[in-house]
Amino acid sequence: MAETEEHIAPAVAEQSPPQFELEQPDDYSQYLLHSKSEIVAVLRSLVQKGALITVYFDQGRSFLLTSMIQLNADRQSFVLDLGSNDEMNRRALLAKKLILTTVVDKVKIQFSLGALTATQCDGRSAFLGAIPDTLLRLQRREYFRLSTPLANPIKLAATIRRADDSALQVNLPLLDISGGGVGLMAATDQAQLLQRGDTLTECKLTLPDEGLLVTSLGVRNMFDVTTRSGTRYVRIGCEYVGLTSARLAMVQRYITRMERERKARLNGLA
């Protein structure tokens, strides 16, 4: 945790582009793949697992969420689904450099493209990209996930769009939080308005003794939960999208402090 970020006010922290390991070859060169067969194998796994991919462009200040839907037989190109926002799709086609990131089986994948072009796949519009010459495959330890209090839950304020594009303001309790994302509790009717791959922008949650955290969240998974008392809800697993280093440090400070306090309570009861 950088000491220089310790006193940055979370609510006014300057937005800055995310940092990519792919662009730090001095530190991560050992994780770069150069073999075409290895790169193709990694990309094939993205198709098979339906991995959610974030495509960054405009120097990392813009992004869209997509998935790889096809590897072409010539092993020279692949097809990406369009994102949900038409304007972002248009801007992505104009971008001169794009960085694609995802996580599969706890392994971070990153690679860059010089451009995307428009194509058709099974009768629908899509993106076409060239197989990259290099790809970063970074094995990492799973983020420590801190369960948040249920008696006095932290709530995330977000806006969900209905089918008619009207806005629904929701306050969803947090089930857990980590350096990679959050788990949310939603009622069934709320969850029905979301699907895997959706992006919730300008989400706000106040972390006790840290301040206001504002971030975009990508929906990664959703599943029904039934408690012992018979109560039913939907757990929505989300990942941070474009979280700045200052705000990530804020999350890490909160998690570290809460875990330290938990251990102190346990030791006091021993």
Side-chain angles (χ1 to χ4, degrees), residues 69-137:
I69 55 180
Q70 181 177 295
L71 271 180
N72 291 331
D74 59 6
R75 287 163 48 101
Q76 301 296 323
S77 60
F78 58 83
V79 178
L80 293 175
D81 203 358
L82 293 184
S84 60
N85 185 288
D86 291 340
E87 174 62 15
M88 283 300 178
N89 291 332
R90 185 189 68 81
R91 290 168 58 184
L93 287 172
L94 296 174
K96 302 302 183 183
K97 181 180 180 181
L98 310 98
I99 294 181
L100 285 70
T101 75
T102 187
V103 175
V104 177
D105 297 331
K106 304 176 188 176
V107 178
K108 180 181 288 186
I109 308 296
Q110 294 178 359
F111 59 95
S112 65
L113 299 176
L116 286 171
T117 57
T119 189
Q120 292 284 315
C121 182
D122 295 330
R124 61 179 181 175
S125 298
F127 294 125
L128 183 70
I131 300 294
D133 294 328
T134 59
L135 179 147
L136 181 135
R137 184 180 185 276

Side-chain angles (χ1 to χ4, degrees), residues 27-268:
D27 296 324
Y28 296 96
S29 60
Q30 68 269 37
Y31 300 105
L32 290 174
L33 301 182
H34 300 277
S35 164
K36 185 171 183 179
S37 61
E38 290 182 324
I39 292 172
V40 168
V42 171
L43 298 184
R44 185 178 296 113
S45 73
L46 302 188
V47 177
Q48 293 171 343
K49 294 179 179 294
L52 183 65
I53 299 171
T54 305
V55 180
Y56 291 95
F57 49 98
D58 295 341
Q59 290 78 49
R61 293 180 175 84
S62 301
F63 64 88
L64 59 84
L65 294 180
T66 182
S67 58
M68 192 172 295
I69 55 180
Q70 181 177 295
L71 271 180
N72 291 331
D74 59 6
R75 287 163 48 101
Q76 301 296 323
S77 60
F78 58 83
V79 178
L80 293 175
D81 203 358
L82 293 184
S84 60
N85 185 288
D86 291 340
E87 174 62 15
M88 283 300 178
N89 291 332
R90 185 189 68 81
R91 290 168 58 184
L93 287 172
L94 296 174
K96 302 302 183 183
K97 181 180 180 181
L98 310 98
I99 294 181
L100 285 70
T101 75
T102 187
V103 175
V104 177
D105 297 331
K106 304 176 188 176
V107 178
K108 180 181 288 186
I109 308 296
Q110 294 178 359
F111 59 95
S112 65
L113 299 176
L116 286 171
T117 57
T119 189
Q120 292 284 315
C121 182
D122 295 330
R124 61 179 181 175
S125 298
F127 294 125
L128 183 70
I131 300 294
D133 294 328
T134 59
L135 179 147
L136 181 135
R137 184 180 185 276
L138 176 61
Q139 181 79 42
R140 65 180 184 181
R141 292 188 299 174
E142 185 177 14
Y143 288 115
F144 172 75
R145 190 171 295 276
L146 175 75
S147 296
T148 51
L150 293 179
N152 186 24
I154 299 171
K155 292 190 177 181
L156 179 135
T159 302
I160 299 176
R161 291 288 171 181
R162 299 185 179 94
D164 62 1
D165 203 38
S166 61
L168 174 65
Q169 306 295 327
V170 296
N171 286 282
L172 304 177
L174 259 67
L175 293 169
D176 50 58
I177 184 169
S178 76
V182 297
L184 303 174
M185 176 190 292
T188 302
D189 58 339
Q190 294 171 329
Q192 287 174 344
L193 300 175
L194 294 171
Q195 60 183 350
R196 187 176 180 273
D198 284 353
T199 303
L200 300 174
T201 59
E202 292 295 309
C203 300
K204 299 176 182 179
L205 66 152
T206 300
L207 297 176
D209 298 324
E210 290 296 338
L212 178 66
L213 177 70
V214 182
T215 182
S216 294
L217 293 173
V219 177
R220 293 296 303 269
N221 55 67
M222 302 169 63
F223 56 87
D224 295 329
V225 176
T226 303
T227 66
R228 292 182 179 178
S229 64
T231 303
R232 297 184 63 186
Y233 66 88
V234 179
R235 185 193 185 281
I236 304 175
C238 300
E239 69 172 352
Y240 306 123
V241 179
L243 190 69
T244 65
S245 57
R247 290 175 176 174
L248 176 58
M250 176 183 171
V251 172
Q252 292 171 332
R253 286 196 301 269
Y254 172 73
I255 292 173
T256 299
R257 178 168 50 80
M258 294 301 294
E259 182 63 7
R260 185 168 58 242
E261 291 177 2
R262 185 189 70 83
K263 290 180 178 179
R265 288 195 299 271
L266 290 176
N267 291 335

